[in-house]
Amino acid sequence: MTKTASENTITLWRPVGAKELELIAQSGMRAFPPRLPDQPIFYPVLTEDYAVKIARDWNVPASGSGFVTRFEVRRDFIAKYDVQEAGGRSHLEYWIPAEELDAFNAAIVGPIEVVRSFP
């Protein structure tokens, strides 16, 4: 079954490695973990294709596995952020400052789902 956004939410994706996925699971699949000190920005992406590219091409070589998560965020929350283009028209993402990640997590509606995995 394909999950679709409602009028009040938008579907976003997040490519993650095994360690980040474990921390998401510890939250009951309801929140992303705090950023590390050298990670001032949290980057959810706007398309599954872009998330797949990152998970497959970056996460797998870096850590041996990559996963694509999908989740819904309240539109009224995400509207205050501009969509950023990261190296190409198909590479669209939001830049959420690390100090705003708790508020971002509170705006997630429903569970964070793993929709793709790569060895």
Side-chain angles (χ1 to χ4, degrees):
M1 176 164 66
T2 301
K3 184 176 183 178
T4 58
S6 73
E7 289 180 19
N8 299 322
T9 64
I10 183 173
T11 302
L12 297 176
W13 288 263
R14 168 94 178 141
V16 299
K19 289 180 183 178
E20 187 171 355
L21 183 58
E22 183 179 324
L23 295 171
I24 295 166
Q26 289 173 11
S27 78
M29 301 303 281
R30 296 290 180 178
F32 291 94
R35 306 303 289 156
L36 299 174
D38 64 334
Q39 299 173 326
I41 304 290
F42 175 76
Y43 304 93
V45 303
L46 276 69
T47 67
E48 184 175 4
D49 287 344
Y50 183 31
V52 164
K53 181 176 178 60
I54 296 168
R56 184 190 58 224
D57 299 349
W58 298 354
N59 292 102
V60 171
S63 65
S65 62
F67 305 88
V68 174
T69 63
R70 178 178 61 200
F71 54 97
E72 302 290 319
V73 174
R74 288 190 348 258
R75 286 183 188 273
D76 64 343
F77 176 83
I78 204 70
K80 66 182 174 180
Y81 300 96
D82 293 327
V83 173
Q84 305 293 325
E85 186 177 307
R89 283 187 233 157
S90 63
H91 298 168
L92 302 176
E93 56 194 28
Y94 286 103
W95 295 355
I96 311 299
E99 61 271 14
E100 297 174 27
L101 186 56
D102 286 345
F104 180 88
N105 283 330
I108 294 173
V109 176
I112 299 166
E113 301 174 293
V114 176
V115 295
R116 301 283 296 267
S117 62
F118 301 92

